[in-house]
Amino acid sequence: MEEMVAMFLHILAHDVKNRIVQREFVQSSETNCLGALDGTYIKVNFSATGHPRYRTRKGEIATNVFDVCDTNGNFVFVLSGWEGFTADSRVSRDVISRPNGLKVPKGYYYLCDVGYPNAEGFLAPYKGERYHLSEWRGGGNAPTAPREFFNMKHSSAWNVIERTLGLLKGRWAILRGQSYYPVQIQCRTIMACCLLHNFINREMTNSELIEDLDEVDSSFATTRGNEINYIESSNEWTQWRNKLAQ
C-alpha cells in the first residue's frame, strides 16, 4: 500500500505518465484496485424483543448489510444479518475473520470510506479532508493539496459501490420497505436480489441498462461484468459471536 501512495505522489510531483511510473516502480499496467465496499441498511421484520438490537441511529429496524462490488458494479461478497446499530468497522472485522469470509489477494485492495480501517486489503481516504464528490463541484472547489486530490480520485472510484447499491434497491422494491417476512428469510432475499442483479448486468445490453438507470437516479450507474464469486448469509452470526466470547 505504501508503494501505491509513493507512485501517486511521484505523479503529482513530476507530472509524468503512467508508463513512466510503471517502469520506475517496476509495476505492470494492471490496477491493484479490485473494487469497493460499503455497508447499507435494509429494513427487516423482527419481533418486539429484537428491535433494540436492530434499531439504527435513525430509528429504523434494519440489518446492516456488508457489500463488496468489483469495478464493474457486480457484487462479489455480501453479508447480511448484523444488527442495524452495529458499526461498520465491527462488521468488517467479522467479515475478514470468518473462514469463508472476504479474502483479498496480497498486493490488492478494495476502496472503503473512513468508517472502515485503513489496513491491508482496504484503502480508505485521508481523514479530515474533503471527500464527497459534491464538495468538488463548482468553480473554485478544485483540490488545493495532494491529500485533497487523492480523496477526490478515491471518492470518484469508490462511488461505484454507492451506484451499485442504489441500482440494487431501485430494481427490487422488497429492499426499500420493511419486509413482511422473518429476518432469516429476508437475509436470503437480499442475497437473491444481489445474484439477480449480477445476472441482469451480464445479460442486459447497454441500451437496456441506460433505460433501467433512468428509472432509479441519474447518479447511480453500473456496467456489465462477471457473475458473483461468493455470497453467504449470516443467519448463524449469534453462534459465531458466542464462540468468540467463550
Side-chain angles (χ1 to χ4, degrees), residues 141-169:
N141 291 325
T144 58
R147 287 192 174 192
E148 285 193 340
F149 187 75
F150 176 89
N151 276 14
M152 183 183 70
K153 292 299 184 181
H154 185 290
S155 179
S156 179
W158 173 80
N159 194 249
V160 65
I161 185 65
E162 285 197 331
R163 298 195 304 268
T164 301
L165 290 173
L167 183 54
L168 176 75
K169 293 181 179 181

Side-chain angles (χ1 to χ4, degrees), residues 120-144:
E120 184 175 1
F122 297 81
L123 182 61
Y126 286 105
K127 294 183 178 180
E129 304 286 350
R130 287 187 294 170
Y131 180 69
H132 297 288
L133 291 177
S134 59
E135 299 178 86
W136 310 105
R137 299 191 182 114
N141 291 325
T144 58

Side-chain angles (χ1 to χ4, degrees), residues 48 50-62 83-86:
H51 283 188
R53 295 182 298 149
Y54 279 83
R55 192 177 301 277
T56 68
R57 286 183 289 271
K58 294 183 178 180
E60 297 177 337
I61 306 303
E83 304 98 324
F85 79 93
T86 309

Side-chain angles (χ1 to χ4, degrees), residues 3-245:
E3 188 173 19
M4 296 297 297
V5 174
M7 292 171 63
F8 171 73
L9 294 176
H10 186 82
I11 294 174
L12 293 182
H14 301 284
D15 191 22
V16 294
K17 295 183 177 180
N18 188 44
R19 65 173 180 270
I20 297 176
V21 176
Q22 293 168 17
R23 183 175 65 249
E24 295 188 5
F25 285 84
V26 194
Q27 292 284 329
S28 71
S29 58
E30 179 185 5
T31 177
N32 292 58
C33 178
L34 299 177
L37 60 88
D38 196 16
T40 189
Y41 294 124
I42 294 181
K43 296 178 183 179
V44 293
N45 184 16
F46 218 94
S47 63
T49 56
H51 283 188
R53 295 182 298 149
Y54 279 83
R55 192 177 301 277
T56 68
R57 286 183 289 271
K58 294 183 178 180
E60 297 177 337
I61 306 303
T63 176
N64 189 347
V65 184
F66 182 88
D67 304 275
V68 183
C69 74
D70 60 22
T71 56
N72 293 317
N74 294 281
F75 291 103
V76 296
F77 188 98
V78 176
L79 181 68
S80 64
W82 272 100
E83 304 98 324
F85 79 93
T86 309
D88 289 339
S89 58
R90 177 68 184 90
V91 178
S92 67
R93 290 196 297 271
D94 175 12
V95 167
I96 62 178
S97 64
R98 289 173 173 243
N100 294 324
L102 178 64
K103 306 300 180 184
V104 184
K106 188 174 181 59
Y108 292 82
Y109 59 88
Y110 285 100
L111 300 173
C112 59
D113 65 15
V114 293
Y116 295 92
N118 193 12
E120 184 175 1
F122 297 81
L123 182 61
Y126 286 105
K127 294 183 178 180
E129 304 286 350
R130 287 187 294 170
Y131 180 69
H132 297 288
L133 291 177
S134 59
E135 299 178 86
W136 310 105
R137 299 191 182 114
N141 291 325
T144 58
R147 287 192 174 192
E148 285 193 340
F149 187 75
F150 176 89
N151 276 14
M152 183 183 70
K153 292 299 184 181
H154 185 290
S155 179
S156 179
W158 173 80
N159 194 249
V160 65
I161 185 65
E162 285 197 331
R163 298 195 304 268
T164 301
L165 290 173
L167 183 54
L168 176 75
K169 293 181 179 181
R171 282 173 170 165
W172 313 115
I174 195 171
L175 302 181
R176 300 195 297 270
Q178 186 168 350
S179 173
Y180 299 104
Y181 304 99
V183 64
Q184 293 84 358
I185 295 178
Q186 179 68 351
C187 286
R188 294 189 178 95
T189 302
I190 294 170
M191 304 301 172
C193 290
C194 291
L195 287 166
L196 289 170
H197 167 93
N198 287 2
F199 177 79
I200 292 172
N201 283 357
R202 188 181 73 242
E203 298 298 327
M204 287 177 65
T205 64
N206 290 336
S207 59
E208 290 172 331
L209 182 59
I210 292 173
E211 291 176 359
D212 196 5
L213 287 173
D214 289 339
E215 297 178 359
V216 188
D217 188 290
S218 60
S219 62
F220 297 132
T222 186
T223 53
R224 299 172 63 187
N226 297 328
E227 62 181 329
I228 201 161
N229 295 320
Y230 176 76
I231 198 166
E232 181 186 28
S233 173
S234 60
N235 298 327
E236 300 180 355
W237 71 268
T238 303
Q239 297 179 10
W240 174 86
R241 186 178 64 177
N242 291 338
K243 289 181 180 178
L244 288 183

